[in-house]
Amino acid sequence: MIRKHAAARASQPFVLLAVVCAAVVVAVVGGVTPPLSAARFANTGHWMYNSVLGMVFHVDGATANVDAGFPMDAEVGSQVLQSDTSGWVVGPNRITEFDKESQSQQQSAKPPSDEIPVGIEVVGGPYAVYRDTGRIVRLGDPAASIPTGGPIGTPVATPDGTLWFHRTGKGQICRLAKDGIEVSGCPVAAPPDHAGALTVVDGRPAFIDLFTSRLHTIDGDTLGEGVELGVALSPNSRPAAQDADGRLAILDQGSTQSSLILVDTRTSPVESVTVALGTGDYDGPVSTREVVTLVDRRNGTVLTYGVDGRRKDEKPFRDKAGESRLVLGEDERVYVEDSTGTQVLVVAEDGSVTDVDLTRRAATPTGKPDSPSAEQPGRAGDPGDESRRAQRSAGLPTPTTRAQPPPVPPSRPGAPVGVAARPGDGSADVTWGAAPDNRAPITSYVVSWRGSNGQTGSVPVGGGAGGHRVSGLTNGVSYTFTVAATNQVGTGPGASTGPVTPNAPVSPAAAPVNLRPSYDVSARPARDVTLTWAQPALNGGTLVHYEVTATGLGTQQVTGTQVVYRQVRASQAVTFTVAAVTRAPNGQLLTGAPASATHEPAPLPRLTLSKGAPTEESCGEKPDCAWMHVVLTGFDPRTAYLVKPYNNAGDGYTNPGHTVTTDANGNETIDQFAYTGPGETVWVEVVLPDGTPIRSNTVVW
């Protein structure tokens, strides 16, 4: 039954795909025998495209050997996605289907854009996800090209085949049902201005808020309250698409230090293990039940770790320039291939890594090493004539049982490997690895480009070059770069980068301009303080908010250029700082330089004491009896204060004091406390409401 289904479907697949790429949803073709309704067989192994040899290979994960291969004319950098019966070679400008059983090429169609898509192999798929373009292409049945309503993050798939994706910048988390032909809805809301990423934990979708470092499980149409991950994540953090036995692997990649963080989501509070990775340029992580896999491109290694953070294995990875591709197979193995398919490594379930030998299968495409008829019968019309086969087999081992072939004449070079571009300010640095010279030295490379605004150009560089800076580009415009090699025979095929966008360099914002506090200096004991400022230079970022701090009064986040602190005590010294927080194009939050201003405390009130008019009250006829003349200055207006007198005679003099109420200006004068005691020193005191004692000058009586 399975073979019958495969044969029936082989005649129509690209009728569907052609409609898909025209962005029209199609239903299942009538009359085609459907797959067995209750069974979906797990795909084993991994299909890949080697653009140097021009061949599609199948890698058996269990043996780490190539067990099938056939020639195909496809683009450099193409990836292969598979369903039960078919495979699709997905390149920047062409998608070609092939039948897995007969290994025969079917029709080709044009994808919705030249963006390099994210491939997802899952029940209901496979899918090619064009994140920047905002479109999900299902390559299987029912074939569909589904708009997402704008750019999205990397989707994840739950075990039931539902695809979940995050509309970046809109705060919407949407889902696509296993057999859906349109987005099922966007019922889950997330903070629109927070960087975040989706993952799957215990079979359920979850959202990591990279602004708050919290993990929110999605429950139906609701974003859960979330739990603290216990680590501070940067906006550049990247989680694995699924947990490893409850441990969530998160790659936090920094400019000076990168870390692999393994968070145990089943403990409360969560526990985590941090593995210091050092500097590097990492791809991944990808998690299986017990293993986490990373690729360190800068150092050229494939790394595997257990869920406890211990290193399991490490193997060399040759292509340091291009972006590696990590694929989690349905056989619970991870397949790591380079950008041209010239190297593939298999990560077993125990974390051990094996480098697959592609040359043996490439030399004998039928899998019969010493067979005199290596080409399959009836395949004369397949892509690749004698000269192309000779070109692709150049440099590969020749079976010793065959007679040595005559010398192969030179041909045009192959495509350069590992072509990549890094954007700059009005420029881009394009790098590549040497192209196969095909028996004639490479004399030059041609670097060409095309912008989303229609701008094109090209420049030749020397044959020994491995990079070139392209200047004169327009910031904010997306460019794709292509590099092709030339020798004495001619120019070979080009290899292209993904789209990159030059931008002016982004740095933290400058300090806010003209920061000023304003308040009524006569208002006591408290006054409202209003801070105002002007927007600073944002230095290429986008304003998120201002962060305002005040000594002893906490922190506020505001989006305007004014904030009011209510009822600041007049006697309190307060320093205010304001800094702009901006977002870089990559989502990173940057805190700018601070501006500062102060609220100067009002001067402390004063008590002035002098010897007043003589009096006989309370003193009788004792000598030098006079009133104490007390002047209060700068106190809170219309406020009652207790004034008490003191002396230094040590004679036990006490006085309960006198309560006086200040006038509207905070001043008052009293003649109180009849006193006698020639030669003695006297003074008066007032205790403010906050406990501060105010003491007058002293007077010798």
Side-chain angles (χ1 to χ4, degrees):
M1 293 180 66
I2 295 175
R3 292 191 176 186
K4 178 181 178 182
H5 167 55
R9 188 172 174 276
S11 64
Q12 303 224 32
F14 265 84
V15 174
L16 291 178
L17 184 56
V19 178
V20 163
C21 295
V24 177
V25 174
V26 294
V28 178
V29 176
V32 178
T33 304
L36 297 176
S37 59
R40 196 265 184 187
F41 299 100
N43 292 308
T44 60
H46 173 64
W47 290 91
M48 56 176 289
Y49 179 67
N50 185 311
S51 56
V52 174
L53 299 173
M55 294 188 68
V56 174
F57 290 119
H58 182 264
V59 177
D60 179 358
T63 63
N65 289 320
V66 175
D67 59 3
F70 60 94
M72 178 177 286
D73 186 10
E75 298 170 284
V76 174
S78 295
Q79 60 182 306
V80 181
L81 302 174
Q82 66 171 325
S83 69
D84 291 350
T85 58
S86 294
W88 287 267
V89 181
V90 181
N93 300 291
R94 187 166 74 248
I95 301 176
T96 304
E97 186 178 9
F98 62 87
D99 181 76
K100 288 166 60 175
E101 182 178 7
S102 64
Q103 298 179 27
S104 60
Q105 179 175 324
Q106 310 297 313
Q107 300 181 47
S108 296
K110 187 173 179 61
S113 82
D114 60 0
E115 174 188 345
I116 297 176
V118 173
I120 299 179
E121 293 179 348
V122 66
V123 57
Y127 299 95
V129 181
Y130 297 82
R131 295 174 293 179
D132 295 338
T133 307
R135 191 166 289 272
I136 298 174
V137 174
R138 178 191 284 110
L139 300 171
D141 290 334
S145 181
I146 303 164
T148 63
I152 63 174
T154 301
V156 296
T158 47
D160 62 358
T162 302
L163 208 62
W164 295 82
F165 60 89
H166 178 214
R167 283 179 174 168
T168 54
K170 294 185 178 180
Q172 295 174 322
I173 299 176
C174 311
R175 61 190 175 206
L176 175 64
K178 176 171 69 73
D179 296 319
I181 57 175
E182 60 184 11
V183 175
S184 308
C186 301
V188 183
D193 59 345
H194 288 196
L198 290 173
T199 185
V200 175
V201 177
D202 287 332
R204 301 169 63 191
F207 177 75
I208 299 179
D209 189 327
L210 299 176
F211 186 79
T212 62
S213 297
R214 293 176 69 88
L215 175 68
H216 301 263
T217 301
I218 297 173
D219 187 6
D221 294 347
T222 304
L223 187 68
E225 180 180 352
V227 295
E228 296 283 352
L229 292 177
V231 290
L233 300 176
S234 74
N236 300 319
S237 298
R238 192 165 61 233
Q242 66 179 32
D243 64 326
D245 193 26
R247 288 270 189 181
L248 180 59
I250 304 173
L251 173 65
D252 193 346
Q253 185 157 292
S255 57
T256 59
Q257 173 66 44
S258 297
S259 302
L260 175 64
I261 304 167
L262 297 164
V263 179
D264 191 343
T265 61
R266 297 175 181 174
T267 60
S268 181
V270 297
E271 298 176 353
S272 64
V273 174
T274 299
V275 180
L277 300 174
T279 58
D281 189 5
Y282 294 91
D283 294 328
V286 172
S287 294
T288 60
R289 291 189 183 94
E290 299 179 359
V291 176
V292 178
T293 302
L294 293 171
V295 175
D296 181 354
R297 281 188 282 154
R298 182 178 301 177
N299 297 310
T301 52
V302 174
L303 308 170
T304 60
Y305 296 87
V307 295
D308 57 359
R310 295 183 180 180
R311 176 79 63 82
K312 284 185 170 289
D313 202 355
E314 176 180 346
K315 286 293 191 297
F317 189 70
R318 294 189 297 270
D319 186 1
K320 299 182 181 181
E323 185 171 354
S324 60
R325 188 175 294 123
L326 290 82
V327 179
L328 175 58
E330 293 184 59
D331 54 5
E332 284 298 313
R333 296 179 177 89
V334 178
Y335 298 85
V336 183
E337 61 178 275
D338 63 10
S339 58
T340 57
T342 55
Q343 183 184 20
V344 61
L345 299 95
V346 179
V347 179
E349 294 179 76
D350 63 358
S352 60
V353 184
T354 304
D355 196 342
V356 178
D357 182 6
L358 297 177
T359 58
R360 180 179 180 183
R361 181 71 199 188
T364 58
T366 62
K368 301 174 182 178
D370 297 321
S371 169
S373 56
E375 296 293 335
Q376 296 181 12
R379 298 293 297 277
D382 284 346
D385 54 15
E386 288 296 327
S387 64
R388 180 175 294 178
R389 286 195 293 270
Q391 173 183 338
R392 288 172 177 165
S393 62
L396 297 175
T398 303
T400 56
T401 56
R402 296 183 179 181
Q404 291 292 332
V408 179
S411 60
R412 293 183 299 173
V417 298
V419 179
R422 185 183 299 274
D425 183 6
S427 65
D429 291 325
V430 184
T431 58
W432 60 88
D437 62 12
N438 290 337
R439 298 161 302 283
I442 292 174
T443 56
S444 66
Y445 289 94
V446 176
V447 181
S448 58
W449 58 90
R450 175 178 294 276
S452 58
N453 62 350
Q455 179 185 0
T456 60
S458 64
V459 60
V461 297
H468 180 75
R469 172 167 292 180
V470 178
S471 302
L473 305 178
T474 303
N475 287 335
V477 172
S478 175
Y479 291 87
T480 299
F481 298 89
T482 301
V483 182
T486 301
N487 63 11
Q488 67 182 29
V489 180
T491 300
S496 299
T497 68
V500 297
T501 304
N503 281 292
V506 177
S507 60
V513 179
N514 295 329
L515 175 64
R516 291 193 184 96
S518 59
Y519 48 90
D520 182 357
V521 295
S522 64
R524 298 183 183 181
R527 72 274 299 258
D528 292 345
V529 179
T530 301
L531 285 178
T532 58
W533 62 89
Q535 178 174 297
L538 300 181
N539 296 334
T542 301
L543 179 67
V544 177
H545 58 252
Y546 293 97
E547 193 161 272
V548 185
T549 62
T551 308
L553 300 177
T555 300
Q556 299 188 52
Q557 291 181 349
V558 298
T559 55
T561 55
Q562 176 177 303
V563 66
V564 178
Y565 280 86
R566 303 289 182 188
Q567 295 300 287
V568 177
R569 288 197 58 80
S571 60
Q572 184 178 2
V574 181
T575 299
F576 301 96
T577 61
V578 181
V581 177
T582 57
R583 189 186 306 279
N586 64 0
Q588 182 180 7
L589 294 179
L590 304 173
T591 300
S596 299
T598 58
H599 167 261
E600 298 295 343
L604 289 174
R606 289 186 302 144
L607 285 172
T608 304
L609 174 64
S610 61
K611 191 173 183 179
T615 181
E616 294 182 358
E617 184 178 332
S618 302
C619 298
E621 298 190 7
K622 292 181 181 180
D624 292 325
C625 184
W627 296 109
M628 291 185 184
H629 183 72
V630 182
V631 179
L632 291 81
T633 307
F635 285 79
D636 292 338
R638 298 185 178 89
T639 304
Y641 293 96
L642 178 63
V643 182
K644 295 183 68 174
Y646 297 89
N647 74 357
N648 70 339
D651 57 2
Y653 169 75
T654 61
N655 192 301
H658 176 74
T659 299
V660 60
T661 300
T662 58
D663 63 17
N665 295 317
N667 304 326
E668 194 53 73
T669 300
I670 60 172
D671 285 289
Q672 293 287 332
F673 317 126
Y675 191 81
T676 180
E680 295 176 1
T681 301
V682 296
W683 67 90
V684 294
E685 288 187 3
V686 170
V687 178
L688 300 179
D690 64 2
T692 302
I694 304 297
R695 182 172 174 171
S696 73
N697 59 300
T698 59
V699 173
V700 177
W701 212 257

